Amino acid sequence: MNLNGKVALVTGGSRGIGKAVALKLASLGADIIFSYTSSEEQSKQVQDTIESMGRRALAIRADVSKMNDVEKMIQDGMNYFSKIDILVNNAGITKDNLLMRMSEDEWDNVIDVNLKGVFNVTKCLIRNMIKQKDCSIINIASIVGVSGNAGQCNYSASKAGVIGFTKSLAKEVGKKNIRVNAIAPGFISTDMTDKLPEKIIDQYLEKITLQRLGEPDDIANAVAFLASDMSKYITGQVIVVDGGILI
Ligand code: NAD
């Protein structure tokens, strides 16, 4: 796989899956714009690593749920690189609770970041991509957007929304050779899952056919495939990367 000459934007690229994606796409030759929210130190490390590979990197602080931040991020990215070929909508949060205990804020925050964030970033970039043609958008959904999960009505609704968004946009922009796909990770070892109690992790492990938690690189490899020409006839799809939980 080769991404030489491409520019990729990865939201939430300073840690976890987003960081693995940013480093993987850079290792394949792409220049990288990535957003971060709080940790300047982590984002500096990612930027340095990408630059040490001989690629260019631009780190931008932006909250994807805020349209003003997103507009500025896209503008700064376009000013710096003149184009963006690959968009990876990765930023996401959880605020788990049973519905009967879930606050309106827990619902709104998760929908605002996970679903409206995907709308905001894609909306701000899509005109440029349509003019440019030959682009790839990859949305990080989740298997719970397909299967549902007790305690995650907000999160699974946001991820099911991302899947619907992916398929609809794929139909809108296919004629410009812009491909739009989603990845549905299973249980991946990151800050998001490290905070779960051991008992829950053990319950997941029992359901995973390959008998191990996923690594961020497992998702980054699938993103690289969808970003590259190796997947040039694939659009509107949800690729499940879950070690066999859903089978
Ligand atoms: P993480 O918590 O390590 O990383 C989340 C990233 O999103 C961070 O970089 C964070 O800064 C960023 N982010 C959070 N709120 C943001 C906001 N308002 N604006 C911009 N960026 C924001 O978690 P992760 O596991 O790396 O998750 C990455 C994506 O993968 C998320 O969309 C998550 O829902 C999805 N996912 C993760 C798993 C898993 O098991 N870890 C499973 C399925 C899907």
Side-chain angles (χ1 to χ4, degrees):
M1 270 184 278
N2 179 338
L3 298 175
N4 287 339
K6 303 280 186 190
V7 178
L9 166 60
V10 183
T11 64
S14 65
R15 67 167 201 246
I17 292 171
K19 175 181 173 181
V21 167
L23 298 184
K24 178 68 65 180
L25 300 184
S27 76
L28 294 170
D31 291 325
I32 308 290
I33 306 161
F34 67 94
S35 74
Y36 67 98
T37 39
S38 49
S39 173
E40 225 154 280
E41 202 184 312
Q42 277 178 320
S43 80
K44 182 78 178 68
Q45 276 172 10
V46 174
Q47 184 164 2
D48 289 348
T49 310
I50 293 169
E51 286 171 354
S52 73
M53 295 174 188
R55 305 267 54 90
R56 290 192 294 163
L58 179 65
I60 301 174
R61 187 192 286 266
D63 179 339
V64 295
S65 70
K66 299 202 170 111
M67 194 50 132
N68 287 346
D69 278 21
V70 172
E71 280 169 352
K72 188 171 179 316
M73 171 177 75
I74 300 295
Q75 200 52 58
D76 289 351
M78 290 298 293
N79 288 345
Y80 197 78
F81 286 110
S82 307
K83 64 167 192 166
I84 296 170
D85 308 279
I86 299 159
L87 166 62
V88 185
N89 280 309
N90 165 77
I93 57 168
T94 52
K95 295 215 177 228
D96 297 352
N97 224 335
L98 294 173
L99 185 68
M100 63 182 173
R101 291 195 205 119
M102 187 176 288
S103 68
E104 197 178 343
D105 272 354
E106 286 169 336
W107 173 268
D108 285 345
N109 290 345
V110 169
I111 299 293
D112 282 352
V113 176
N114 296 8
L115 183 55
K116 185 148 185 265
V118 172
F119 165 79
N120 287 344
V121 180
T122 315
K123 162 91 182 155
C124 280
L125 192 55
I126 200 69
R127 275 177 200 273
N128 289 316
M129 285 188 155
I130 287 170
K131 272 192 224 141
Q132 193 182 314
K133 305 190 183 79
D134 300 332
C135 297
S136 179
I137 299 173
I138 300 134
N139 297 322
I140 306 300
S142 166
I143 54 165
V144 308
V146 179
S147 65
N149 195 25
Q152 291 196 308
C153 282
N154 50 0
Y155 184 75
S156 58
S158 73
K159 295 300 189 180
V162 167
I163 290 171
F165 177 95
T166 300
K167 293 182 181 187
S168 299
L169 185 62
K171 290 186 180 196
E172 288 184 19
V173 297
K175 55 182 171 295
K176 299 292 181 186
N177 201 25
I178 299 169
R179 297 181 298 107
V180 192
N181 291 290
I183 292 174
F187 198 114
I188 311 299
S189 188
T190 66
D191 288 357
M192 184 176 277
T193 46
D194 287 351
K195 62 190 176 198
L196 290 172
E198 211 166 307
K199 196 173 132 211
I200 302 281
I201 296 180
D202 287 344
Q203 282 169 4
Y204 265 104
L205 270 172
E206 273 174 32
K207 293 185 194 150
I208 302 174
T209 306
L210 294 181
Q211 306 252 296
R212 67 167 177 88
L213 303 185
E215 297 296 331
D217 244 8
D218 294 321
I219 306 305
N221 287 333
V223 172
F225 169 68
L226 289 174
S228 78
D229 278 353
M230 297 285 279
S231 60
K232 66 182 185 212
Y233 203 51
I234 299 177
T235 196
Q237 301 306 304
V238 182
I239 299 193
V240 174
V241 184
D242 70 346
I245 298 176
L246 286 191
I247 52 177

Coordinates of all heavy atoms in Angstrom, one line a residue, residues 16-65:
G16 N -4.6 6.7 21.4 CA -5.5 5.6 21.0 C -5.5 5.3 19.6 O -4.5 5.3 18.9
I17 N -6.7 5.0 19.1 CA -6.9 4.5 17.7 C -6.4 5.7 16.7 O -5.8 5.4 15.7 CB -8.3 4.1 17.5 CG1 -8.6 2.8 18.2 CG2 -8.6 3.9 16.0 CD1 -10.1 2.4 18.3
G18 N -6.8 6.9 17.1 CA -6.5 8.0 16.2 C -5.0 8.2 16.0 O -4.5 8.4 14.9
K19 N -4.2 8.0 17.1 CA -2.8 8.1 17.0 C -2.2 7.0 16.1 O -1.4 7.2 15.2 CB -2.2 8.0 18.4 CG -0.7 8.0 18.4 CD -0.2 7.8 19.9 CE 1.3 7.6 19.9 NZ 1.8 7.5 21.3
A20 N -2.7 5.8 16.3 CA -2.2 4.6 15.5 C -2.5 4.9 14.0 O -1.7 4.5 13.2 CB -2.9 3.3 16.0
V21 N -3.7 5.4 13.8 CA -4.1 5.7 12.4 C -3.2 6.8 11.8 O -2.6 6.6 10.6 CB -5.6 6.2 12.3 CG1 -5.9 6.8 10.9 CG2 -6.5 5.0 12.6
A22 N -2.9 7.8 12.5 CA -2.1 8.9 12.0 C -0.7 8.4 11.7 O -0.1 8.7 10.6 CB -2.0 10.1 13.0
L23 N -0.1 7.6 12.6 CA 1.2 7.0 12.4 C 1.3 6.0 11.2 O 2.2 6.0 10.4 CB 1.8 6.4 13.7 CG 1.9 7.3 14.9 CD1 2.5 6.6 16.0 CD2 2.7 8.6 14.5
K24 N 0.2 5.2 11.1 CA 0.2 4.2 10.0 C 0.1 4.9 8.7 O 0.8 4.6 7.7 CB -1.1 3.3 10.2 CG -1.3 2.3 9.2 CD -0.3 1.2 9.1 CE -0.3 0.4 10.4 NZ 0.7 -0.7 10.5
L25 N -0.8 5.9 8.6 CA -0.9 6.6 7.3 C 0.4 7.3 6.9 O 0.8 7.3 5.7 CB -2.1 7.6 7.3 CG -3.5 6.9 7.5 CD1 -4.6 8.0 7.4 CD2 -3.8 5.8 6.6
A26 N 1.0 7.9 7.9 CA 2.3 8.6 7.7 C 3.4 7.5 7.2 O 4.1 7.8 6.3 CB 2.8 9.3 8.9
S27 N 3.3 6.4 7.9 CA 4.3 5.3 7.5 C 4.2 4.9 6.1 O 5.1 4.4 5.4 CB 4.3 4.1 8.5 OG 3.1 3.4 8.1
L28 N 2.9 5.1 5.5 CA 2.7 4.7 4.1 C 2.9 5.8 3.2 O 2.6 5.7 2.0 CB 1.2 4.1 4.0 CG 1.0 2.8 4.7 CD1 -0.5 2.5 4.8 CD2 1.8 1.7 4.1
G29 N 3.3 7.0 3.7 CA 3.7 8.1 2.8 C 2.9 9.3 2.9 O 3.2 10.3 2.2
A30 N 1.7 9.3 3.6 CA 0.9 10.5 3.7 C 1.4 11.6 4.6 O 2.0 11.3 5.6 CB -0.5 10.1 4.1
D31 N 1.1 12.8 4.3 CA 1.3 13.9 5.2 C 0.0 14.0 6.1 O -1.1 13.6 5.6 CB 1.5 15.3 4.5 CG 2.8 15.3 3.8 OD1 3.8 14.8 4.3 OD2 2.9 15.9 2.7
I32 N 0.2 14.4 7.3 CA -0.9 14.3 8.3 C -1.3 15.6 9.0 O -0.5 16.3 9.5 CB -0.5 13.3 9.4 CG1 0.0 12.0 8.8 CG2 -1.7 13.1 10.4 CD1 -1.0 11.1 8.2
I33 N -2.6 15.8 9.0 CA -3.2 16.9 9.9 C -4.0 16.1 10.9 O -4.7 15.1 10.6 CB -4.2 17.7 9.1 CG1 -3.7 18.4 7.9 CG2 -4.8 18.8 10.1 CD1 -4.7 18.8 6.9
F34 N -3.7 16.4 12.2 CA -4.6 15.7 13.2 C -5.0 16.7 14.2 O -4.4 17.7 14.5 CB -3.8 14.5 13.8 CG -2.6 14.9 14.7 CD1 -2.8 15.1 16.1 CD2 -1.4 15.1 14.1 CE1 -1.7 15.4 16.8 CE2 -0.3 15.4 14.9 CZ -0.4 15.6 16.3
S35 N -6.2 16.4 14.8 CA -6.8 17.3 15.8 C -6.6 16.7 17.2 O -6.5 15.5 17.3 CB -8.2 17.6 15.5 OG -9.0 16.5 15.9
Y36 N -6.5 17.6 18.1 CA -6.4 17.1 19.5 C -7.2 18.1 20.4 O -7.5 19.2 19.9 CB -5.0 17.0 20.0 CG -4.3 18.4 20.2 CD1 -4.2 19.0 21.4 CD2 -3.8 19.0 19.0 CE1 -3.6 20.3 21.5 CE2 -3.2 20.3 19.1 CZ -3.1 20.9 20.4 OH -2.6 22.1 20.4
T37 N -7.6 17.7 21.6 CA -8.5 18.6 22.4 C -7.7 19.2 23.6 O -7.8 20.3 23.8 CB -9.7 17.8 22.9 OG1 -9.4 16.5 23.3 CG2 -10.8 17.8 21.9
S38 N -7.0 18.3 24.3 CA -6.4 18.9 25.5 C -4.9 18.7 25.6 O -4.2 19.7 25.9 CB -7.1 18.2 26.8 OG -7.1 16.8 26.6
S39 N -4.4 17.5 25.4 CA -2.9 17.3 25.7 C -2.0 17.7 24.6 O -1.8 17.1 23.5 CB -2.7 15.8 26.0 OG -1.3 15.6 26.1
E40 N -1.4 18.9 24.8 CA -0.4 19.5 23.9 C 0.8 18.6 23.8 O 1.4 18.4 22.8 CB -0.1 20.9 24.3 CG -0.1 21.8 23.1 CD -0.3 23.2 23.5 OE1 -1.5 23.6 23.7 OE2 0.6 24.0 23.5
E41 N 1.2 18.0 25.0 CA 2.4 17.2 25.1 C 2.2 15.9 24.2 O 3.1 15.6 23.4 CB 2.6 16.8 26.5 CG 4.1 16.4 26.8 CD 4.2 16.0 28.2 OE1 3.7 16.7 29.1 OE2 4.8 14.9 28.4
Q42 N 1.1 15.2 24.3 CA 0.9 14.0 23.5 C 0.9 14.4 22.1 O 1.4 13.7 21.2 CB -0.5 13.4 23.9 CG -0.5 12.5 25.1 CD -1.9 12.0 25.4 OE1 -2.8 12.7 25.3 NE2 -1.9 10.7 25.9
S43 N 0.2 15.5 21.7 CA 0.1 15.8 20.3 C 1.5 16.2 19.7 O 1.8 15.9 18.6 CB -0.9 16.9 20.1 OG -0.4 18.2 20.4
K44 N 2.3 16.8 20.6 CA 3.7 17.2 20.1 C 4.5 15.9 19.8 O 5.2 15.8 18.8 CB 4.4 18.0 21.2 CG 5.8 18.5 20.9 CD 5.7 19.7 20.0 CE 7.1 20.3 19.6 NZ 7.9 19.5 18.8
Q45 N 4.3 14.9 20.7 CA 5.0 13.6 20.5 C 4.6 13.0 19.2 O 5.4 12.4 18.4 CB 4.7 12.6 21.6 CG 5.5 12.8 22.8 CD 5.0 11.9 24.0 OE1 4.2 11.1 23.9 NE2 5.6 12.2 25.2
V46 N 3.3 13.0 18.9 CA 2.8 12.4 17.6 C 3.4 13.2 16.4 O 3.8 12.6 15.5 CB 1.2 12.4 17.6 CG1 0.7 11.9 16.2 CG2 0.7 11.5 18.7
Q47 N 3.3 14.5 16.6 CA 3.9 15.3 15.5 C 5.4 15.0 15.2 O 5.8 14.9 14.1 CB 3.7 16.8 15.8 CG 4.1 17.8 14.7 CD 3.6 19.2 14.9 OE1 3.0 19.5 15.9 NE2 3.9 20.0 14.0
D48 N 6.1 14.9 16.3 CA 7.6 14.6 16.2 C 7.8 13.3 15.5 O 8.7 13.1 14.7 CB 8.2 14.6 17.6 CG 8.4 16.0 18.1 OD1 8.1 17.0 17.4 OD2 8.7 16.2 19.3
T49 N 7.0 12.3 15.9 CA 7.1 10.9 15.3 C 6.9 11.0 13.8 O 7.6 10.3 13.1 CB 6.2 9.9 16.0 OG1 6.3 10.1 17.5 CG2 6.5 8.5 15.6
I50 N 5.8 11.7 13.5 CA 5.5 11.7 12.0 C 6.6 12.4 11.3 O 7.0 12.0 10.2 CB 4.1 12.5 11.8 CG1 3.0 11.6 12.4 CG2 3.9 12.7 10.3 CD1 1.6 12.4 12.5
E51 N 7.1 13.5 11.8 CA 8.2 14.3 11.2 C 9.5 13.4 11.1 O 10.2 13.5 10.1 CB 8.4 15.6 11.8 CG 7.3 16.6 11.5 CD 7.2 17.9 12.3 OE1 8.1 18.0 13.2 OE2 6.4 18.7 12.0
S52 N 9.7 12.6 12.1 CA 10.9 11.7 12.1 C 10.8 10.7 11.0 O 11.8 10.1 10.6 CB 11.1 11.0 13.4 OG 10.2 10.0 13.6
M53 N 9.6 10.5 10.4 CA 9.4 9.5 9.3 C 9.6 10.3 8.0 O 9.4 9.7 6.9 CB 8.0 9.0 9.3 CG 7.6 8.1 10.4 SD 5.8 7.7 10.3 CE 5.5 6.9 11.8
G54 N 9.9 11.6 8.1 CA 10.1 12.3 6.8 C 8.8 12.9 6.2 O 8.8 13.4 5.1
R55 N 7.7 12.8 7.0 CA 6.4 13.3 6.5 C 6.1 14.7 7.2 O 6.7 15.0 8.3 CB 5.3 12.4 6.9 CG 5.5 11.0 6.3 CD 4.9 10.8 4.9 NE 5.3 11.7 4.0 CZ 6.4 11.6 3.2 NH1 7.1 10.6 3.2 NH2 6.6 12.5 2.3
R56 N 5.2 15.5 6.6 CA 4.9 16.7 7.3 C 3.6 16.5 8.2 O 2.8 15.6 7.9 CB 4.5 17.8 6.2 CG 5.7 18.3 5.5 CD 5.5 19.5 4.6 NE 4.5 19.2 3.6 CZ 3.9 20.1 2.9 NH1 4.0 21.4 3.2 NH2 3.0 19.8 1.9
A57 N 3.6 17.2 9.3 CA 2.5 17.0 10.3 C 2.0 18.3 10.8 O 2.8 19.2 11.1 CB 2.9 16.1 11.4
L58 N 0.7 18.5 10.9 CA 0.1 19.7 11.4 C -0.9 19.3 12.5 O -1.9 18.6 12.2 CB -0.6 20.5 10.3 CG -1.3 21.8 10.7 CD1 -0.3 22.8 11.1 CD2 -2.1 22.3 9.5
A59 N -0.6 19.7 13.8 CA -1.5 19.4 14.9 C -2.4 20.6 15.1 O -1.9 21.8 15.3 CB -0.7 19.1 16.1
I60 N -3.7 20.4 15.2 CA -4.6 21.6 15.4 C -5.6 21.2 16.6 O -6.2 20.2 16.6 CB -5.5 21.8 14.2 CG1 -4.6 22.1 13.0 CG2 -6.5 22.9 14.4 CD1 -5.3 22.2 11.7
R61 N -5.6 22.2 17.6 CA -6.6 22.0 18.7 C -8.0 22.3 18.2 O -8.2 23.4 17.7 CB -6.2 22.9 19.8 CG -7.0 22.6 21.1 CD -6.8 23.7 22.1 NE -5.5 23.7 22.7 CZ -5.3 23.1 23.9 NH1 -6.2 22.5 24.6 NH2 -4.1 23.2 24.4
A62 N -8.9 21.3 18.3 CA -10.3 21.6 17.8 C -11.2 20.6 18.5 O -10.9 19.4 18.6 CB -10.3 21.4 16.3
D63 N -12.3 21.1 18.9 CA -13.4 20.3 19.5 C -14.4 20.0 18.3 O -15.0 21.0 17.8 CB -14.1 21.1 20.6 CG -15.3 20.3 21.2 OD1 -15.8 19.4 20.5 OD2 -15.7 20.7 22.3
V64 N -14.5 18.8 17.9 CA -15.3 18.5 16.7 C -16.8 18.8 16.9 O -17.5 18.9 15.9 CB -15.1 17.0 16.2 CG1 -13.7 16.7 15.8 CG2 -15.6 16.0 17.3
S65 N -17.2 18.9 18.1 CA -18.7 19.2 18.3 C -19.0 20.7 18.1 O -20.1 21.1 18.1 CB -19.1 18.8 19.7 OG -18.5 19.6 20.7

